[in-house]
Amino acid sequence: MKAWLLALLLPGLAAAAQQEIPHTRLPLQLDGRLDDALWQQALHLQLGYETRPGENTPAPVKTDFWVAEDGQRLLLAFHAHDPNPERIIAHLHDRDEFWEDDFVGVLLDTFNDERRAYQFFVNPLGVQAEATLDDTRRNSDDPSWNALWDSAARRVEDGYVVEMAIPFSSINMPKPQGQPLTWGLEAIRYWPRAQVHRLSIIPVDRNRNCQVCQFAKFTGFREIEQGLDLELTPTVTVAQHRGREDADSSMQTDKPDAEAGLDVNWGISPNLTLNATLNPDFSQIEADSVQVDVNTTFALFFPEKRPFFLENADYFAAPSRLIYTRNVADPDIGIKFTGKTGPHQYGFFASNDTVTSFFVPGPEGSSLASLDSSSLAAAGRYRYEATPDLTLGLVTTYRSASDYYSGLAGADLRWNINETDRLQLQWVESQSEYPETVVESYDLAQQRFSGGRYQFRFNHRGRNLFYWTAITRNDPGYRADLGFLRRVNLDRFAGGGGYDWINPDGQAWWSRFGISTRNWMMQRADNALLLERNFQLRFEFEGALQTKADWNFIRRTTVYQGRVFPRDFMEGQINFRPHARLQLGMQAQVGDDVDYTHIRPASRTQFRPSFSLNLGTGLKVDFSHLRQDLDVSGGRLYRLDLGELRAKWQFTSRAYLRLISQYRKLQRNPELYASDVDRNYQRLSNQLLFGYKLDAKSVAFLGYSDQGFSDDDVPDRVTMDQTVFVKLGYTF
């Protein structure tokens, strides 16, 4: 009823799905002023719906939206009105980092397949962000994708104005061939106040288990001229390193190391892209976040941050992490094709990796192995959209080096049974052979392994009620050496569900209460012996002060090395924003655990406070500190402290200075350990970086990093290495 009344009050919105995007030949000066004549020819709409936290209620503030195209670019403009413009939240950030600000943007389904979309956003100070959205995957927003496009923004008396020009050469799309194209499109605005209000040109039905499928439909684009889409980015990196072999030796200065590289991005056609890299510098411009690496039997997961692998990474997405490109540690050459033709979507990459690393999984843990030889790493992914609701996929990976190879091939199916129910199936088979050194080092039973992975998953997601079930089998001989695989020899039966109470009033003190359960049972695939059983009860809350909180009661039985460990514990977290410039957070866990080193019961207490503070327009400080205590029958086994400080001063939307300091302190009780350990160990690493980004791909970096430690034998901190580096890259 509310949506029907809203359509009457805002003429044109209800018919937005049948609108045509006008073609114009008038010039546009991007200055955030809306005084160009072409905006008089553009299609004009209003963002009349609040889709979250309100449920398709009238938007609390007015937002005008214009759209047109000039044959080479999609042209967009927003006038974001605000009754209290002094409360607009806007900071200078690096691109892709302003998500707590006010901002506007557009989501584009250029193939009209109702599966995948490009996202472009701008905040009131003109800072850009872009991302991709893949409705076929969970957690499908990927902000790592970058594109070259133009925008301008300006604060005005009653809000702010944004103009955007997105070249068609920066996005993939079907070939027009003189016929009109149909795109899915959603224009949105985020208005963060007591709660974060999401405004849109369309209503969003929460009873539909998809987002892109609800976009409004727009036609046009008959006269698109994509032109030559070729980007060449030569890079130069110069580094000076100082280090010492051990704490007692003196610092030695290496010779300066200079390397040149080249990145190529070629849009062969509007729907086919080639990426290539030669001698890339894949050093981390940003350090990985600190993670707990004590008392764990599984390898840690780190997200990908390198541009070559991030470009069109969603084309390689599969129901499980069969392709984990952080396993490609140091390639000297790489090539990648991605494209979409009609219902066919495909991707392929290959690289020569000078370092060969892969996971060695088992039923109770996993380790990271490395070989000193180089290797070929390759992967391919294909998806066929048989119908709007049915997608079939194929995937293959291959890794080979001297006396080593690993490969897999698999198929998967995704079926949207109706608007709320989804079915996924996966079948994968693998073969691997390891050298004797790996067999001996990791106590493997044999050199050759073969096996499969089989998965069934059903998911129901409605407005309030949701439930799911999944069955997974990883054979004892299954391997995915180019993927992220923690466990094999495993049968896993899982399921859960819950109910959300949603408040449709976007101005209320609460917007959502939720209660859910998540349960699983894991057993060995070869003998059906129990590995783990879990029951979890979860409560969630979202409301005023942009609060998000959850609390979990967990009863778990873990079997490790033949011993059974009953575990009851609680964990939860809360994040809220008491002031527009300040966000506070706390994570906590208290209860039973396992001392995996000595295979005995333990108890864990863990807290992680954090804050994010914006000081002025351009300075932001993020801090978190984790403290974890593990106690056993004889006393405290260890105390772990992990601290991380990230401070960033953004001078302009292009230039910034960033400091990252990471601290690790481990205090252990040697009397409670079976082997000799240090009572005290500390490590401190720092990274200082000046960055200038002319655009998403033309960059200049000047950086310094160091790392040092102390322990029982070296009580005073010793700096072990220092590096100064310069990196330059320019896109032609």
Side-chain angles (χ1 to χ4, degrees):
M1 176 64 74
K2 290 182 178 180
W4 178 79
L5 289 174
L6 191 60
L8 291 179
L9 293 172
L10 298 172
L13 281 179
Q18 290 129 21
Q19 295 284 354
E20 180 170 350
I21 295 180
H23 175 77
T24 180
R25 296 192 180 277
L26 296 177
L28 171 62
Q29 181 177 352
L30 284 170
D31 54 14
R33 295 187 180 276
L34 294 179
D35 55 1
D36 296 283
L38 75 84
W39 297 125
Q40 303 301 316
Q41 297 182 358
L43 176 63
H44 178 211
L45 299 170
Q46 289 186 14
L47 278 62
Y49 299 90
E50 178 178 310
T51 63
R52 194 169 60 240
E55 190 171 0
N56 302 325
T57 56
V61 290
K62 180 182 177 182
T63 311
D64 291 294
F65 169 64
W66 293 266
V67 58
E69 56 89 6
D70 65 1
Q72 296 181 336
R73 302 172 298 174
L74 184 67
L75 310 175
L76 309 130
F78 294 83
H79 186 171
H81 303 264
D82 200 302
N84 300 293
E86 71 281 358
R87 296 184 61 190
I88 290 175
I89 302 173
H91 301 96
L92 285 173
H93 295 279
D94 194 7
R95 63 187 307 119
D96 301 333
E97 294 183 0
F98 59 63
W99 305 115
E100 70 272 19
D101 287 5
D102 283 71
F103 63 90
V104 294
V106 65
L107 291 77
L108 305 173
D109 175 13
T110 57
F111 286 93
N112 193 33
D113 59 13
E114 300 186 350
R115 289 170 169 84
R116 184 175 182 269
Y118 297 102
Q119 306 179 74
F120 298 88
F121 306 109
V122 180
N123 84 346
L125 296 181
V127 181
Q128 296 181 346
E130 61 271 289
T132 58
L133 171 65
D134 187 348
D135 252 358
T136 66
R137 297 184 294 132
R138 293 174 294 171
N139 305 317
S140 57
D141 282 298
D142 182 4
S144 61
W145 174 73
N146 288 314
L148 299 180
W149 53 292
D150 299 306
S151 64
R154 188 170 66 94
R155 299 281 292 267
V156 294
E157 289 185 358
D158 65 340
Y160 63 97
V161 172
V162 167
E163 292 180 314
M164 305 164 63
I166 302 171
F168 294 128
S169 59
S170 292
I171 52 180
N172 291 339
M173 68 185 72
K175 294 181 180 180
Q177 298 178 339
Q179 300 296 319
L181 299 178
T182 299
W183 286 13
L185 182 150
E186 183 184 16
I188 64 173
R189 174 185 179 182
Y190 275 76
W191 190 59
R193 297 301 181 264
Q195 299 191 52
V196 179
H197 301 266
R198 183 185 188 273
L199 315 181
S200 176
I201 60 169
I202 58 172
V204 175
D205 185 353
R206 300 190 190 188
N207 265 315
R208 302 184 67 182
N209 194 6
C210 61
Q211 180 179 350
V212 181
C213 69
Q214 301 189 55
F215 287 2
K217 304 298 182 182
F218 293 83
T219 61
F221 314 106
R222 295 178 180 84
E223 302 180 53
I224 285 181
E225 300 173 2
Q226 197 170 30
L228 179 63
D229 179 16
L230 178 62
E231 298 173 2
L232 301 176
T233 307
T235 61
V236 176
T237 304
V238 180
Q240 176 75 66
H241 178 262
R242 299 177 67 229
R244 62 179 99 225
E245 292 185 2
D246 54 57
D248 296 327
S249 62
S250 60
M251 295 283 280
Q252 301 294 321
T253 302
D254 299 337
K255 293 182 179 179
D257 181 30
E259 291 190 358
L262 177 66
D263 294 331
V264 179
N265 188 329
W266 178 24
I268 301 172
S269 69
N271 53 6
L272 179 62
T273 302
L274 165 68
N275 298 96
T277 184
L278 178 64
N279 196 28
D281 170 38
F282 277 164
S283 59
Q284 290 290 97
I285 296 301
E286 181 177 357
D288 288 311
S289 297
V290 292
Q291 297 189 44
V292 176
D293 58 357
V294 181
N295 198 46
T296 179
T297 63
F298 295 101
L300 300 178
F301 176 86
F302 293 97
E304 182 61 84
K305 297 182 179 181
R306 299 169 296 179
F308 173 76
F309 292 115
L310 291 176
E311 187 75 27
N312 285 338
D314 56 314
Y315 278 70
F316 298 91
S320 56
R321 291 193 180 101
L322 299 179
I323 301 173
Y324 176 60
T325 52
R326 284 293 292 261
N327 280 343
V328 185
D330 188 21
D332 56 13
I333 189 170
I335 189 169
K336 177 166 60 175
F337 287 94
T338 54
K340 180 175 172 63
T341 304
H344 309 279
Q345 180 175 300
Y346 38 88
F348 170 81
F349 82 81
S351 64
N352 184 69
D353 193 4
T354 59
V355 177
T356 303
S357 60
F358 51 88
F359 292 106
V360 180
E364 297 180 342
S366 59
S367 304
L368 183 65
S370 294
L371 303 177
D372 292 332
S373 59
S374 62
S375 63
L376 169 66
R381 176 72 167 139
Y382 168 78
R383 286 192 287 186
Y384 173 63
E385 297 159 3
T387 72
D389 297 315
L390 180 63
T391 302
L392 306 176
L394 299 174
V395 64
T396 184
T397 69
Y398 181 75
R399 198 87 189 266
S400 68
S402 177
D403 299 324
Y404 161 75
Y405 77 86
S406 180
L408 64 78
D412 52 85
L413 174 149
R414 175 182 176 272
W415 178 26
N416 291 333
I417 301 171
N418 51 44
E419 293 183 346
T420 59
D421 298 327
R422 179 178 297 175
L423 174 68
Q424 286 187 333
L425 303 175
Q426 184 183 48
W427 165 67
V428 184
E429 295 289 340
S430 72
Q431 289 189 342
S432 303
E433 182 173 349
Y434 299 104
E436 285 288 351
T437 54
V438 173
V439 174
E440 294 173 0
S441 299
Y442 296 92
D443 195 24
L444 301 181
Q446 59 207 52
Q447 280 188 272
R448 295 187 178 184
F449 293 85
S450 63
R453 171 185 170 87
Y454 320 100
Q455 184 178 64
F456 162 89
R457 184 179 181 89
F458 173 81
N459 178 69
H460 170 91
R461 179 78 227 195
R463 176 185 182 275
N464 305 101
L465 179 67
F466 60 94
Y467 50 86
W468 59 276
T469 184
I471 302 173
T472 304
R473 180 185 179 91
N474 290 341
D475 286 340
Y478 172 65
R479 297 293 184 270
D481 285 10
L482 201 57
F484 186 80
L485 178 64
R486 281 178 166 166
R487 270 181 153 156
V488 294
N489 193 7
L490 169 75
D491 287 331
R492 186 175 189 268
F493 308 92
Y499 193 90
D500 286 333
W501 287 267
I502 298 172
N503 190 343
D505 181 4
Q507 306 299 321
W509 66 273
W510 70 279
S511 59
R512 185 176 73 91
F513 284 110
I515 182 171
S516 62
T517 180
R518 180 182 177 87
N519 315 293
W520 67 76
M521 190 270 284
M522 292 187 289
Q523 63 186 32
R524 294 178 65 107
D526 57 356
N527 57 22
L529 292 179
L530 180 68
L531 289 169
E532 192 168 86
R533 182 185 294 115
N534 185 90
F535 171 79
Q536 176 176 333
L537 185 62
R538 178 182 179 92
F539 299 92
E540 296 177 89
F541 170 80
E542 295 181 15
L545 300 180
Q546 301 181 30
T547 300
K548 292 187 177 181
D550 65 73
W551 192 252
N552 303 269
F553 298 88
I554 301 170
R555 169 156 289 186
R556 182 175 298 171
T557 300
T558 299
V559 179
Y560 185 72
Q561 297 293 303
R563 289 197 60 183
V564 179
F565 297 94
R567 301 169 58 192
D568 291 336
F569 58 97
M570 298 181 294
E571 62 182 20
Q573 61 180 338
I574 183 171
N575 290 278
F576 65 100
R577 191 173 291 276
H579 188 275
R581 296 184 180 273
L582 176 65
Q583 183 177 35
L584 299 176
M586 172 65 78
Q587 297 176 344
Q589 184 182 95
V590 180
D592 299 326
D593 204 344
V594 179
D595 173 10
Y596 290 102
T597 302
H598 304 95
I599 317 176
R600 60 187 171 184
S603 62
R604 175 165 52 164
T605 303
Q606 178 175 304
F607 295 96
R608 185 172 186 171
S610 64
F611 72 81
S612 178
L613 177 63
N614 286 287
L615 298 170
T617 303
L619 180 59
K620 184 178 182 182
V621 179
D622 295 305
F623 176 78
S624 68
H625 180 89
L626 179 144
R627 168 162 289 184
Q628 182 184 103
D629 292 334
L630 195 74
D631 297 313
V632 295
S633 59
R636 176 151 297 158
L637 185 66
Y638 70 76
R639 166 170 284 178
L640 174 67
D641 288 284
L642 294 177
E644 182 171 80
L645 172 70
R646 293 176 180 251
K648 193 170 188 178
W649 185 9
Q650 195 82 30
F651 309 117
T652 69
S653 60
R654 295 178 175 177
Y656 63 85
L657 182 67
R658 186 188 68 212
L659 170 68
I660 300 177
S661 288
Q662 296 175 335
Y663 172 73
R664 182 179 188 270
K665 182 179 181 181
L666 181 61
Q667 298 171 284
R668 292 179 285 198
N669 185 347
E671 287 77 19
L672 297 177
Y673 280 81
S675 58
D676 292 336
V677 296
D678 286 314
R679 183 176 295 274
N680 294 290
Y681 175 84
Q682 298 183 55
R683 184 178 68 210
L684 177 66
S685 60
N686 302 287
Q687 184 187 73
L688 184 65
L689 180 75
F690 171 79
Y692 184 86
K693 294 184 178 181
L694 187 62
D695 52 48
K697 302 180 181 181
S698 298
V699 298
F701 295 114
L702 172 62
Y704 165 84
S705 65
D706 64 37
Q707 181 171 284
F709 84 101
S710 65
D711 58 19
D712 292 353
D713 297 326
V714 186
D716 298 322
R717 178 179 178 269
V718 174
T719 300
M720 295 300 295
D721 59 71
Q722 298 173 316
T723 302
V724 178
F725 69 91
V726 176
K727 179 178 179 179
L728 303 174
Y730 185 80
T731 299
F732 295 91

